[in-house]
Amino acid sequence: MPTTDEAVAQAALDTQTGPTSPTAADSGASASASFRSTEQYSSAGLTTDTARVDALARALLGAVHQVISDHEVTYPEFQAAKKWLMDVGEGGEWPLFLDVFVEHAVEEVAARKQTGTVGTILGPYYLPGQVQLTTPATLPARPDEAGTPLAFRGQVTDTTGAPVPGAVLDIWQADEQGYYSGFAPDIPAGNLRGVVTADVEGRFEIRTIQPAPYQVPTDGPTGALISAAGWHPWRPAHLHLLVSAPGRRTVTTQLYFAGGEYLDSDVAEAVKPELVLDPTDVGDGSREVTYDFVLEDA
Ligand code: DHB
Ligand code: FE
């Protein structure tokens, strides 16, 4: 149970951010719980190669020592860093922090060996086991879901251009306020999430709404670093996708929107030019766009 002080502080935050805003503590805890339930979490560290651990740990610590030396880091700064690292852990914010500031570098290394549709970061807000739909599909949404309707169509092929039967698009996105179901209060479970099976030629049509830009929660330690450093906490609006098919390597990617805010200054540095959609207005207030995916052999 929260102490009185915590409850008062939480109430102050609630009025500050409004009842539908997720707090950093909520998002952090949910993202941590979500990661703990994954196979990647369970298998992490099962194989430890001493030489590899030695090389990586030595290089990482060496880089830290170099920063301290080059920037003449002081004792008060070292203690502030220690406190901040403790706060990130206690706030459950490591998945948020690492997916924003570190995952893109890991993804760029993985991408060196990949062909097919360009990938980008997974982020902390994927949830498995969402509703299974068949093309043409409409993502689950509230009756009054705000946002410009978007018809998203395309085809999944292999690297020779041949249609891939049995392709599945696992899609998730923020709503028109930039919030994800499962990680923000007041949004029904499974909202704007779905697992869509394409037709026998890999073709799909998914009806949804255009998401809004996403803001890293600003009221926790990750937000404190962002504001202390004078950075902005925004990611451009995006759709998340896992595109898979039997015998193919699953593509983990995101699609962005031409002309959208923060495309050139994504806090997570996960935008790639190949991943920017440019939907056209249909004329009835809705928009449509086509994007084809290419899956390499597994
Ligand atoms: C984070 C959130 C996202 O929606 C995303 O795509 C990547 C990272 C984050 O807060 O860590
Ligand atoms: Fe996201």
Side-chain angles (χ1 to χ4, degrees):
M1 287 294 285
T3 64
T4 310
D5 280 352
E6 279 165 356
V8 169
Q10 190 56 53
L13 275 178
D14 287 347
T15 47
Q16 213 183 347
T17 54
T20 58
S21 305
T23 63
D26 283 341
S27 303
S30 309
S32 294
S34 172
F35 179 53
R36 274 196 196 94
S37 71
T38 63
E39 197 270 321
Q40 287 93 328
Y41 179 90
S42 315
S43 60
L46 284 185
T47 51
T48 42
D49 170 349
T50 304
R52 180 77 172 158
V53 174
D54 175 51
L56 295 186
R58 200 183 283 274
L60 184 60
L61 289 168
V64 171
H65 301 157
Q66 196 66 50
V67 169
I68 291 168
S69 174
D70 290 352
H71 295 266
E72 300 190 315
V73 171
T74 64
Y75 260 97
E77 288 168 340
F78 172 56
Q79 306 303 3
K82 211 189 281 181
K83 175 182 184 302
W84 180 84
L85 288 160
M86 289 167 69
D87 289 346
V88 175
E90 285 159 21
E93 279 200 38
W94 280 120
L96 294 187
F97 179 85
L98 292 169
D99 290 357
V100 163
F101 289 111
V102 181
E103 188 186 353
H104 71 88
V106 181
E107 194 283 326
E108 284 156 22
V109 171
R112 291 175 193 166
K113 295 189 178 134
Q114 298 171 350
T115 59
T117 297
V118 164
T120 190
I121 65 172
L122 175 70
Y125 296 141
Y126 173 66
L127 290 174
Q130 301 302 307
V131 66
Q132 308 230 14
L133 305 165
T134 307
T135 192
T138 301
L139 293 190
R142 292 160 283 190
D144 57 349
E145 193 72 48
T148 303
L150 176 72
F152 170 43
R153 302 187 184 91
Q155 186 177 25
V156 183
T157 67
D158 66 17
T159 50
T160 71
V164 169
V168 172
L169 298 97
D170 196 334
I171 181 167
W172 69 105
Q173 64 173 92
D175 66 10
E176 220 237 357
Q177 293 203 83
Y179 300 139
Y180 286 86
S181 63
F183 298 89
D186 306 333
I187 304 180
N191 205 61
L192 300 177
R193 296 173 182 271
V195 183
V196 180
T197 300
D199 71 15
V200 289
E201 293 192 312
R203 290 184 202 281
F204 63 88
E205 173 174 334
I206 301 170
R207 287 182 288 258
T208 182
I209 56 120
Q210 258 194 232
Y214 163 86
Q215 186 182 26
V216 176
T218 51
D219 59 325
T222 303
L225 172 67
I226 289 170
S227 68
W231 303 336
H232 79 64
W234 292 95
R235 298 212 61 223
H238 54 278
L239 303 172
H240 286 269
L241 288 133
L242 291 176
V243 185
S244 62
R248 314 274 160 195
R249 179 182 62 78
T250 297
V251 167
T252 302
T253 198
Q254 302 185 17
L255 296 173
Y256 304 90
F257 296 89
E261 264 185 297
Y262 314 113
L263 266 184
D264 297 325
S265 64
D266 179 9
V267 65
E269 297 183 50
V271 177
K272 299 184 185 182
E274 302 89 336
L275 299 176
V276 180
L277 301 174
D278 193 4
T280 52
D281 292 329
V282 176
D284 60 357
S286 76
R287 307 181 83 192
E288 63 179 13
V289 71
T290 299
Y291 193 87
D292 297 329
F293 294 92
V294 178
L295 301 185
E296 66 176 340
D297 293 347

